[in-house]
Amino acid sequence: MFIKQVIICGFRSYRDQTTMEPFSPKSNVVVGRNGSGKSNFFYAIQFVLADEFSQLRPEQRLALLHEGTGNRIISAFVEIIFDNSDNRLPIDKEEVSLRRVIGAKKDQYFLDKKAVTKTEVLNLLESAGFSKSNPYYIVKQGKINQMATAPDSQRLKLLKEIAGVRVFDERRAESEQLLIETQQKNEKIMEVLNQIQDRLETLNEEKEELKEYQKWDKSRRMLEYTIHDNELKDTKQKLEDLARKREANSSDSANLQQKLEEVTKKNKSINRDVKDLKTRLEDLKDERDALSKEKELLIKQKEKHELQIKDLQKETANDSKVKERLQEELSMINEQIFEKEEELKQFTPQYEEVRRKEDEISSRLDWLDQRRRELYAKQGRGTQFESKEQRDKWLQREILSLERAIAEKHEQISRMNTDLNNDKSKSHELESEVARLQVDLDEMKGTMESLMNKYYEQKKLKDGLQNERNNLWREEAAMQQAITNTKDELSKKGQELRSITGKNIQNGMDSVNKILEHFKSKGIHQEVIEGYYGTVIENFDVGSKFFTCVEVTAGGRLFHHVVSTDKIGTTILEEMNKFKLPGEVTFMPLNRLDVSAPIQYEDADSIPMLKKLEYQEDLNKVFIHIFGKTLICRNMEVASRISKKQDTDAITMEGDQASRRGTLTGGYYDHRTSKLELQRAKRELEYQLEEQEEKFSEHENKLNSIEEQVTQILSEMQKTETKNSKLKDNFETLKADLRLKKEHLANISKGHQPKERSLCSLQSSLDAMNASVQSYKKELGTELLSQLSSQDQNEVGSINNEKKRLTAESKSVVSERFKLEGKKNLIESELENNLKRRKEQLVNHLQDLSSSDNPQRLERVQSDMISINERFDRNRNRLDEIDNQLDELKIEYQNLQEALEENKNTERDVQDKIDSDTKNLETITNKQSVLMKRKEETIKKIRDLGTLPNEAFDKYQKMNSKQLYKELNKCNTELKKYSHVNKKALEQYQSFTEQREKLLQRKEEVDRGSQAITDLMDALDNRKYEAIQFTFKQVSKYFSEVFQKLVPGGKAQLVMRKEDTASSSTAEDGDSAGPSSSQDNRPLVEQFSGISIKVSFSGKAAETREMSQLSGGQKSLVALTLIFAIQKCDPAPFYLFDEIDQALDAQHRKAVADMIGELSGKAQFIITTFRPELIETANKFYGVIFRNKVSHIDTITKAQAKDFVEDDDIHR
């Protein structure tokens, strides 16, 4: 171990943080001018390691801080880094840093950057070999001169420090203090002994009178014993009589209590039955009201459906009659249409023939007129035109004009033919569409009927489900009422349990439940939820007859919380504190319960309580802890006997306890406030509520299923109705389309003949135009004549004749056509406007009648009527049943009320008897208490009489009370004569004698202790003497060896001097100064006066000198020799020397340097010097410079160190 590095900041002249390069583990030299800060460097190391800077005042702390220009330093630190590769420091690190920080108000140590105390630092350094008794591993400047000029006594003091005699001195001082205290105790004991001896002499004189007094006092005590004994026997007899009465009374009370419990239970049962009966009555009344409302609704529905049936029956009957009438009328219309059509068929060819003939005549007349006009025009052109060419040009123009007109006629004829063909194809298309629409209407009618049937089937199913749902609703209301009643009863039991449990405990239970619910909702601390078992009362069951004894045994522990581990309890408590939840909780962690084996004793009168409990096996520890040491006994006498015999607790069925410690506890216990009974009732209600809620949940599921079915059917009905409505709209639309298409077809048929006539007219006109064109073409090129040719004139004559004939014929034909056409139009009008239209109306009416849903509606309404009748019958039957049940329940309710009243009377009578027995029991108890008190007082009086002679038990037994009291008065009279006698003289004499013996024994113990202290002090003096002698020999030996090395041929020795200057000893003859050589009574150590030094630099005995005879350099060398000798006695891991070679000459400096070089193989040296000799043997060099009032340390070379020393010599 050695100092590896030193870091200084703010300490004295080192303002800035100065980090020195690592030191050599051997020899290190620090050089620098005076005032540069070398000594401050040593002070810094001392500041951390030495005890010199331990107790510093504030001004001394400030003095250690750097004072210079700039900002003031408020704190400083020095850190030393040790190389701990040899583990000399008990820290498992190769490098250990120790820092001390100081300020105006603080002083702290840090070990590896962790704050430690000063004591810890000192102990650490002590364990590494830095002994408090040898502070010479640090030698400051001037220490050598101080030791060189020190007197012999100072050197003796130094030797004592090295020998560690401080411990002996401290222990001897403690022993002296103890010896003083022992002497003081001895003096007090002697003083008390003298007082006791005086008192004993006085008491010895009073003993004779006391003996006479004791004789009469003995007789008095014997008489009083006999009187008290008789009184005690009488009291015991009375107590036994009262115990028998109490037992009989207790038996009667138990029977009455049992009867009261039976009556109370019966009353509770009747009350529950009455409550249930009331609930049933209310439910039945509610059901009857609901059924009455339903009945009224059914009656209204029934009346409505009856009216609908009547109306539909009438409508159906009327529809049948109308249908028959319409069918008859349709048959007649069809016959008339057939007749008219036959008549029209017979008449039409004649009319067509006349019409054709008329058209032919008309066409011929038109042609004749056209031809005659052409001939006349030809005649006129002879006068109209001047030349043939002029006429031909005109003719050509006319021909062109006629040809254009002929082309137009051709186009008109073509268009007319196209129209006729289009009408024909359109007519065929309309006929096929009419047929298709008729088929679609029939199919749609069938679909509508099937949808309507489906709708009514769904409605029927919906009505059935709704009836079932109504019944389920009634059942649900009854279930909800039952659940509400159970919850109310459970809440009532919970409130009763809360009222007798205590607010804090119940609040604690509520808080624990809240925390567990919080954990469950958050999904955290699953181990807490699983490891919490509930309270003790919730985890076991027991027969009702054992409720009282179990409850009394458990007491408040019934509401302790059972958890698997203490960690779970801690977690719950932390959460309660975190959320500031109220209440008081006590946890019983299974892992912390330490239980012993339960009591197994059992006989005919007792049984272990554990055997009557039912609980889970994994909670065995809890119930053994609470009930494992308790027996249930038949009565209090048995309980008292067994509790003493078996060293256990015992309890009766009534709750009277006999503790193993002898105490008896009991009294009247009100069974009506039993916590276990309330807990059992609460548990049963919880089970009942759980079953009811489970049934209610199943019922709700069933109701929800029916609700879903009803909703689904309603949705399907709505869809069916929507689809049917759309089909009706489509049906009406198709009917309208069919009617329009039929009308369109009729219009096409009507317009066919006019179009054919127009076509004929156009053809005639075209023929006339063609004839004109032919005439004009023939006229081209002919001669221009002013008169017609004979041929043309003949043609004109024939045309006129034919025209006359055709005009006359046309008149007759037109007249005939008018007749025929009038007749034809009349028949057609009759057919189209009357017969066919009526037929269409009849057919539509019949179709409407055929598509009417009145029969289906009638059938459905009748089906609904049957369903309503069935519901009405069920409703009526249920109402009758409810009325009968209500009558029965009212009778039952009345009977229950009478039974309840009778039981209440019985309960009052039993309670009165119990109260009377309780008063009797209290009277007996009070008497027992008085007698027990009297018994105790009598026993106390007998006990106060003290020890009695054997004759006291028989001497006065035959006397009666009067004789005893007479003798007692006589004794008291005699005793009055000795009223002045010290009645406690003998006791006091014995007491003081005992005190004297004890004090004498105490004095012997004190004397022995005093002698032991004296022996210890002698032993300490001897050990101190031996330690000084041993250290003196070691130091003397090393002193001689080191001096011979430093001064070859020289000789030196240490001499121990005593106060008798004539006697002294050296290390060689030190034994002659032992204990045997001293005749002084003082301790041997106190006889030493100092240590002198004798040296010879030449080795000759004649030249031996003492320190006062040496020069300054020789003194310094001797002082260094002594320091090296001391260090060899108690070696340290490193040494710090501050200018130790200051007063040595060159030869001796060289010897010291060689010595340090030799020792640096085993220890580290850090030395400051102004001389070159120590530089020669050093391994590493540092230079200290002082710039701007701040010290700095840098690593330098050996040559630089020598230059530094030489330069410093020059300047000095």
Side-chain angles (χ1 to χ4, degrees), residues 479-521:
M479 286 183 175
Q480 284 179 336
Q481 184 63 40
I483 288 173
T484 302
N485 293 338
T486 304
K487 284 183 177 179
D488 292 342
E489 189 68 23
L490 183 61
S491 176
K492 183 179 177 183
K493 295 295 181 186
Q495 289 298 330
E496 290 178 8
L497 192 60
R498 289 176 75 96
S499 64
I500 62 176
T501 300
K503 185 177 180 181
N504 285 339
I505 293 174
Q506 198 61 45
N507 286 339
M509 294 168 66
D510 295 341
S511 299
V512 171
N513 290 330
K514 284 180 184 178
I515 289 168
L516 294 175
E517 288 297 326
H518 172 69
F519 288 167
K520 288 177 184 177
S521 63

Side-chain angles (χ1 to χ4, degrees), residues 286-447:
D286 293 340
E287 187 178 358
R288 185 177 63 180
D289 293 341
L291 288 171
S292 299
K293 291 179 182 178
E294 185 180 0
K295 183 179 179 181
E296 293 175 2
L297 182 64
L298 288 172
I299 290 171
K300 290 180 182 178
Q301 290 180 352
K302 189 175 179 183
E303 292 173 352
K304 180 181 177 182
H305 279 71
E306 286 175 351
L307 292 173
Q308 285 181 349
I309 288 170
K310 287 180 182 179
D311 293 340
L312 287 171
Q313 285 176 344
K314 287 180 181 179
E315 289 178 6
T316 304
N318 290 334
D319 288 346
S320 299
K321 292 177 182 179
V322 171
K323 191 174 181 180
E324 290 176 1
R325 181 174 57 78
L326 290 175
Q327 285 177 345
E328 292 175 358
E329 186 179 356
L330 182 62
S331 298
M332 293 173 59
I333 293 295
N334 285 332
E335 290 176 1
Q336 291 176 6
I337 289 172
F338 180 74
E339 291 174 359
K340 291 294 181 182
E341 285 180 345
E342 289 296 322
E343 185 180 356
L344 188 61
K345 284 181 182 178
Q346 293 174 3
F347 183 74
T348 300
Q350 185 181 357
Y351 172 76
E352 292 294 335
E353 180 62 26
V354 173
R355 182 77 187 197
R356 183 186 63 74
K357 190 174 181 180
E358 181 186 3
D359 290 338
E360 288 178 354
I361 292 170
S362 178
S363 297
R364 185 60 183 170
L365 284 172
D366 290 338
W367 185 85
L368 290 173
D369 286 338
Q370 178 67 25
R371 182 57 184 165
R372 190 176 63 177
R373 282 193 299 272
E374 288 176 355
L375 289 173
Y376 286 149
K378 182 179 179 183
Q379 182 181 354
R381 280 191 291 274
T383 58
Q384 182 180 358
F385 299 103
E386 293 178 356
S387 64
K388 176 182 176 182
E389 289 79 10
Q390 190 178 6
R391 184 204 62 185
D392 288 343
K393 288 182 180 178
W394 183 84
L395 286 174
Q396 287 176 353
R397 286 196 299 271
E398 285 297 317
I399 289 169
L400 289 173
S401 176
L402 286 172
E403 286 178 349
R404 285 194 294 272
I406 287 168
E408 290 177 359
K409 288 295 180 183
H410 276 298
E411 289 179 2
Q412 290 176 1
I413 291 170
S414 176
R415 284 197 297 272
M416 187 60 69
N417 285 326
T418 302
D419 286 343
L420 287 171
N421 291 329
N422 289 337
D423 288 344
K424 189 175 181 181
S425 61
K426 186 67 175 177
S427 179
H428 289 308
E429 183 180 346
L430 287 172
E431 287 173 356
S432 62
E433 286 185 3
V434 167
R436 180 180 59 77
L437 286 173
Q438 192 64 47
V439 172
D440 290 344
L441 283 172
D442 294 338
E443 290 179 355
M444 195 172 292
K445 186 177 178 183
T447 304

Side-chain angles (χ1 to χ4, degrees), residues 954-1002:
D954 300 321
K955 186 175 181 179
Y956 300 107
Q957 290 297 325
K958 295 180 180 180
M959 290 185 179
N960 55 29
S961 296
K962 188 175 181 180
Q963 292 172 338
L964 289 170
Y965 278 107
K966 184 178 179 180
E967 289 294 324
L968 181 61
N969 289 331
K970 182 180 177 181
C971 289
N972 288 331
T973 303
E974 290 296 329
L975 286 171
K976 287 179 181 178
K977 297 176 182 179
Y978 301 99
S979 59
H980 63 282
V981 174
N982 182 5
K983 300 177 180 62
K984 295 184 180 180
L986 185 60
E987 293 178 7
Q988 290 176 354
Y989 185 84
Q990 292 174 350
S991 174
F992 281 118
T993 303
E994 291 174 359
Q995 289 183 26
R996 183 180 63 181
E997 294 300 324
K998 289 180 181 178
L999 285 171
L1000 289 172
Q1001 292 176 3
R1002 177 64 178 157

Side-chain angles (χ1 to χ4, degrees), residues 67 94 171 314 388 422 459 510 614 637 700 1199:
E67 293 182 0
E94 291 190 357
R171 292 188 63 185
K314 287 180 181 179
K388 176 182 176 182
N422 289 337
K459 183 175 181 296
D510 295 341
E614 297 176 6
E637 183 180 353
E700 271 195 330

Side-chain angles (χ1 to χ4, degrees), residues 130-151:
F130 298 97
S131 176
K132 288 184 182 179
S133 59
N134 183 10
Y136 290 98
Y137 62 90
I138 300 177
V139 180
K140 295 188 292 184
Q141 186 178 354
K143 189 72 173 177
I144 302 297
N145 294 333
Q146 184 180 348
M147 289 188 65
T149 58

Side-chain angles (χ1 to χ4, degrees), residues 750-813:
K750 285 180 183 179
H752 183 71
Q753 288 182 355
K755 285 184 179 179
E756 285 184 345
R757 287 195 293 272
S758 297
L759 182 62
C760 291
S761 176
L762 289 172
Q763 189 63 43
S764 300
S765 178
L766 178 63
D767 292 341
M769 287 180 183
N770 284 328
S772 298
V773 170
Q774 292 297 327
S775 175
Y776 285 157
K777 284 182 178 180
K778 286 180 180 180
E779 189 178 353
L780 283 172
T782 61
E783 293 297 327
L784 180 66
L785 297 177
S786 59
Q787 295 291 329
L788 293 173
S789 65
S790 58
Q791 185 180 354
D792 292 335
Q793 289 178 358
N794 290 331
E795 187 177 356
V796 169
S798 64
I799 287 169
N800 289 329
N801 293 330
E802 188 178 357
K803 186 175 178 184
K804 279 182 182 180
R805 183 180 60 77
L806 288 173
T807 301
E809 188 178 352
S810 176
K811 287 180 180 180
S812 63
V813 170

Side-chain angles (χ1 to χ4, degrees), residues 85 228 553 579 661 679 712 740 784 1003 1025 1050 1097 1172 1206:
S85 55
H228 294 329
T553 301
F579 293 108
R661 299 178 182 85
Q679 179 63 29
Q712 186 177 359
L740 290 173
L784 180 66
K1003 184 176 183 303
Y1025 173 79
F1097 282 85
E1206 291 173 359

